[in-house]
Every structure is written in C-alpha cells, then in structure tokens.
Amino acid sequence: MTVAELWRSLDGWRGRRRARTRARRQRNREQQLALWGGPVEAGRVLAFSDAIFAIAITLLTINLEVRPGLHGAAFVTALHQLLPALGAYALSFLILGQLWLAHHRIFGVIARVDYVVLRRNLVFLGLIAIMPFPVRLLSDYSDRPLAVAVYAVAFIAAMAFQLVIWLDVTRPERGDLLSAPVPDEVRTGFGRRWAGCWWSSGRSCRWACSLPGTRRWSGLW
C-alpha cells in the first residue's frame, strides 16, 4: 500500500468516525427531547436563579457578629477582630453582585432554555450556593494561604462556568434559544470582560492577604 492510499484510508476512517459521533450526538439529543421535552420559557429558570443568589448573598452576613456585653477596650478589640470578616463580606458581595449582573445579561438574550442550558445553569447555581463556605473560611482563617486559595478558586470557577454558558448559548447554531441574534463582537466582548474580572479577583485576593493578621503571608501571593 502506497503512502497516498494509506492517507486516503486514514481520511476515510476519520470521516466515518466523525459521522458516528454526529449520529450518536443526534440520538442523545432526540432521547433528551423525548424525555425532557423541547425548549421552555426562561422566566422560571431566571426566578429560581435569583432566589439562589439572594440566599447566598444573605448568608454572607452570618459570620458578622460581635458578642453582647462588651465595653471599652474589649468592644474595640472585638470590632478590630471583625475586620477580616467584614473585608471578606464586602469583597464577596462585590463579586457575587457582578456574577448576578452577568447572569441577567445572559438571560436577557435567552428566550428559551433546553436541557443542556438547564443542566449547566444548575451546576453554576451549585457553585453560587456554596459561596458562603469559602467566605466563612476566609474570615475565620484569614491568616492561612490555603483559605485564600480556596476562596479564589471557588469564585473563579463560578466565573469560568458562567462564561462557558454564555459562549455555548450564543453560538449561531443555538439561535433558536435566543430572543435575538448576538453579534460576534458582543459575544467575544463578554469573554474579554470576564477575563478582566478574573484578573481583578486575583488582585482582590492579594488585597485580602493584607487584612489585619494576614500581612505576614502576603509575600506568598
């Protein structure tokens, strides 16, 4: 067998493999359509998502507490010790607020959702719902670099998954889910904006290391 024949045989095998993959994906879509039905209105998904954001943001304040009965220097000391928790709350509220605004921006162009969007949105909301844990971890262990790392990874993972949802649902072949086509410059501009948010989150975590009691660790970041 010559090299040309071998190459044509390889191309044929690749073509058959791609055809089998497309057929399998089509069967999966048909099975999902039969099981879950077609795309549905996005209003209920948006309302559920807003509830998750509201609960997560509310739970951020649980660790903000000064025990009663303090006076004088003890009261001032307790307020000073609360600064890491206040800083973690302020930073987390800012990031969660940005994620909520971006979520509304995404669902502002989505008219209907299918099973894929529902599943990915649930994973994203799972990341949002767990956010009070890394916030509590950061406020209780603000002198531990690992706590700062867990905090940063949690928020950056949520941002990354939200970007995945946006880039998937705004593809031209997914236009049946959109209220109007999304221009390519808007689609890519959203990604650039989130890249900037990731950078800002990293800088914010460096700032978190400079909170009272953490300055000696700031050289590690």
Side-chain angles (χ1 to χ4, degrees):
M1 179 181 290
T2 64
V3 174
E5 291 173 342
L6 181 62
W7 190 257
R8 284 194 297 269
S9 176
L10 182 60
D11 283 342
W13 176 80
R14 288 174 176 171
R16 290 191 297 272
R17 183 180 179 184
R18 286 194 293 267
R20 287 195 299 268
T21 301
R22 287 194 296 267
R24 185 175 63 253
R25 289 176 178 173
Q26 182 62 30
R27 286 195 302 270
N28 290 339
R29 284 194 291 266
E30 291 173 355
Q31 290 173 358
Q32 291 173 2
L33 183 62
L35 181 62
W36 298 96
V40 297
E41 297 299 319
R44 186 177 178 184
V45 177
L46 187 58
F48 176 68
S49 303
D50 285 346
I52 296 297
F53 270 100
I55 293 171
I57 289 176
T58 302
L59 291 177
L60 295 180
T61 63
I62 284 182
N63 208 35
L64 301 179
E65 181 182 4
V66 175
R67 69 179 188 272
L70 299 178
H71 303 281
F75 177 71
V76 174
T77 300
L79 285 179
H80 186 267
Q81 292 173 346
L82 192 62
L83 287 179
L86 284 171
Y89 165 76
L91 177 60
S92 305
F93 182 86
L94 177 64
I95 298 176
L96 278 176
Q98 288 296 320
L99 287 168
W100 179 78
L101 289 173
H103 192 268
H104 266 258
R105 174 69 182 89
I106 293 173
F107 276 81
V109 301
I110 297 177
R112 291 166 296 280
V113 294
D114 60 6
Y115 177 70
V116 174
V117 176
L118 283 172
R119 185 173 56 188
R120 290 177 177 174
N121 190 63
L122 274 177
V123 175
F124 169 72
L125 293 177
L127 293 171
I128 296 300
I130 204 174
M131 289 308 174
F133 167 70
V135 174
R136 179 72 178 263
L137 193 68
L138 181 65
S139 61
D140 289 345
Y141 297 96
S142 56
D143 59 342
R144 307 289 180 87
L146 182 58
V148 179
V150 171
Y151 177 87
V153 168
F155 277 100
I156 291 176
M159 292 179 184
F161 210 87
Q162 192 173 55
L163 180 60
V164 168
I165 295 174
W166 168 260
L167 293 178
D168 172 68
V169 80
T170 55
R171 288 182 299 157
E173 56 267 31
R174 306 275 276 165
D176 59 315
L177 301 179
L178 304 179
S179 56
V182 176
D184 190 60
E185 59 271 17
V186 175
R187 184 172 184 266
T188 56
F190 189 91
R192 288 194 298 269
R193 179 190 175 202
W194 270 130
C197 288
W198 293 340
W199 180 86
S200 299
S201 297
R203 298 292 296 177
S204 299
C205 288
R206 287 180 62 89
W207 168 79
C209 288
S210 67
L211 291 171
T214 67
R215 289 192 177 94
R216 67 181 179 275
W217 295 100
S218 59
L220 298 176
W221 295 88

